[in-house]
Amino acid sequence: MPVVSPLPDHASPALRHDWGRDEVLALFALPFPELLHRAAGVHRAHFDPTEVQVSTLLSVKTGGCPEDCGYCPQAARYHTGVEATKLMSTEDVVAKAKQARAAGASRFCMGAAWRSPKDRDIPKVAAMIREVKALGLETCATLGMLSDTQAHALKDAGLDYYNHNLDTAPEFYGEIIHTREYQDRLDTLSHVRGAGMKTCCGGIVGMGESREQRAGLLQSLANLPAHPDSVPINRLVQVAGTPLAGTKELDPFEFVRTIAIARILMPKSMVRLSAGRETMSDELQALCFLAGANSIFYGEKLLTTGNPDTERDQALFARLGLKPMQIVEQHAVDAAPAGLCGDTVHAAITADADAA
Ligand code: SAM
Ligand code: DTB
Ligand code: SF4
């Protein structure tokens, strides 16, 4: 068993990019209370642990994707019941972004089921980005592989974050995806960083990978040239018709360990408790927040699958005394946020306290 060192010397480690697999596995092997204590210490050293960043997702182009990602309901080759659509109009995207802002989201992420955007798509997506940004929201997009030129064009339009996941460990990747390589993902991330955008990069657990392979995903993320600014940790949403439907479910405590180790390896990153929340209990989500998760997707839909109802998330925030993180740079605020806003949550907490 690894040696258990006392706090606080783990609370604020320097950012490292040279994690060894054995070191990450040693963290996985820690007793659960020790691991959570360390992760919570790192979380507090860099963030207010009562604040959770809130992003909303919109699928701006759904389904019909030529790739074969084994988890994905949007791959054309699997029969999942997802209907392929064309790229949404900018007007419709802006209407959705306004709704998300009114509900209290600070970041709006636009996803497209593309292997990579065509050059003719870029001006259309750029128009969406410009208008969403003008609402005062942080902008994020996930459109597949990007060339260097495309990354610069999106940056020029005002894109703050680009989401592109490593998805899993390099040695497990070939069992899940065959239509593009791990290196292709690293190249896109390099183009995104080169264009000066922030990276949102994480992966999926519960795909039948081993603990060693979960450690390999976290090790690969932490050893990127720069830690991703946001690290989405997705728990596989099993969709009938995809090759991964029916995979044995991951032990929930192993999921919490994965979050805790992401927090320890990437102390300054936003660790997002991402897909898979709909089927998690409130207690499991609370453990994830204790383990250092400080971001969620908010709103009743992810891209094609469900997410918790907004009422359930508002109640969870109120019960746990959590508040949504505000955007530091507010460009335009012409509508008072409602929904998951700090005031609503505080009102709910006060009401609870009054009732007690
Ligand atoms: N097509 C683009 C791409 O693959 O880069 C962008 C959209 S893709 C849906 C974004 C990410 O969603 C994937 O990299 C994967 O990590 C995640 N994802 C997709 N289906 C999922 C599922 N069933 N469960 C959990 N995460 C999923
Ligand atoms: C990420 O890591 N998770 C989000 C976002 N980035 C784009 C997507 C989750 C998708 C879950 C399956 C679906 O709704 O289609
Ligand atoms: Fe296509 Fe992205 Fe789904 Fe892979 S994850 S099938 S690239 S939409």
Side-chain angles (χ1 to χ4, degrees):
M1 199 177 95
V3 179
V4 176
S5 313
L7 279 175
D9 52 327
H10 296 280
S12 192
L15 293 190
R16 284 182 52 192
H17 300 270
D18 60 351
W19 288 93
R21 186 73 61 97
D22 53 337
E23 290 180 284
V24 184
L25 280 168
L27 289 168
F28 268 102
L30 282 172
F32 191 76
E34 174 62 23
L35 176 61
L36 253 65
H37 187 55
R38 287 194 193 193
V42 172
H43 189 189
R44 279 163 185 273
H46 297 284
F47 294 98
D48 175 346
T50 67
E51 288 191 347
V52 176
Q53 187 269 331
V54 172
S55 296
T56 292
L57 264 177
L58 176 68
S59 180
V60 299
K61 196 270 165 227
T62 306
C65 184
E67 299 291 280
D68 78 343
C69 312
Y71 47 75
C72 187
Q74 303 200 69
R77 66 191 71 201
Y78 310 136
H79 300 287
T80 62
V82 170
E83 273 185 36
T85 67
K86 288 191 176 149
L87 186 63
M88 282 174 74
S89 71
T90 302
E91 198 186 354
D92 289 349
V93 171
V94 169
K96 293 281 187 188
K98 282 185 178 163
Q99 284 172 14
R101 184 187 61 172
S106 61
R107 193 181 304 171
F108 191 70
C109 180
M110 293 158 271
W114 285 325
R115 170 180 165 80
S116 56
K118 300 205 168 42
D119 282 342
R120 66 167 186 267
D121 297 319
I122 296 292
K124 299 178 202 163
V125 178
M128 293 174 188
I129 293 166
R130 264 192 294 275
E131 297 215 16
V132 171
K133 182 123 178 122
L135 298 175
L137 286 160
E138 289 182 324
T139 53
C140 177
T142 181
L143 316 169
M145 294 183 284
L146 284 189
S147 69
D148 182 46
T149 315
Q150 291 176 330
H152 277 93
L154 297 177
K155 166 71 180 166
D156 290 347
L159 190 61
D160 298 308
Y161 291 82
Y162 195 76
N163 166 244
H164 200 65
N165 291 337
L166 293 183
D167 275 350
T168 191
E171 70 273 19
F172 190 60
Y173 184 86
E175 293 191 32
I176 305 294
I177 298 155
H178 313 91
T179 47
R180 65 175 125 151
E181 304 293 321
Y182 213 70
Q183 187 59 46
D184 294 323
R185 292 181 183 256
L186 296 172
D187 291 346
T188 290
L189 289 166
S190 163
H191 297 151
V192 170
R193 284 192 305 270
M197 285 184 283
K198 295 180 182 152
T199 55
C200 170
C201 181
I204 312 177
V205 294
M207 298 197 291
E209 74 285 342
S210 63
R211 173 178 272 189
E212 164 120 28
Q213 290 160 343
R214 278 186 289 284
L217 165 65
L218 295 177
Q219 179 193 15
S220 303
L221 292 168
N223 290 349
L224 285 168
H227 287 174
D229 299 274
S230 292
V231 182
I233 303 292
N234 297 280
R235 184 168 83 164
L236 175 69
V237 180
Q238 299 202 9
V239 179
T242 60
L244 291 183
T247 305
K248 186 174 177 290
E249 276 215 2
L250 187 66
D251 174 0
F253 294 125
E254 186 71 5
F255 183 76
V256 179
R257 284 179 185 277
T258 308
I259 295 271
I261 297 166
R263 167 54 63 219
I264 292 170
L265 302 191
M266 294 166 279
K268 294 191 174 175
S269 305
M270 311 296 298
V271 175
R272 183 172 307 129
L273 176 54
S274 198
R277 279 199 311 119
E278 195 183 27
T279 53
M280 289 180 200
S281 68
D282 286 357
E283 295 86 339
L284 175 56
Q285 293 186 60
L287 272 179
C288 292
F289 293 129
L290 284 177
N294 62 349
S295 173
I296 58 164
F297 283 123
Y298 175 66
E300 278 148 32
K301 208 163 165 203
L302 291 166
L303 291 172
T304 64
T305 64
N307 201 36
D309 295 346
T310 50
E311 292 77 19
R312 182 180 161 201
D313 277 341
Q314 285 168 24
L316 181 64
F317 271 47
R319 287 167 76 203
L320 299 179
L322 298 175
K323 50 185 183 287
M325 208 174 275
Q326 302 296 320
I327 320 177
V328 182
E329 224 182 314
Q330 197 85 11
H331 300 286
V333 185
D334 57 4
L340 192 66
C341 69
D343 287 350
T344 308
V345 171
H346 286 134
I349 293 167
T350 315
D352 278 357
D354 288 351

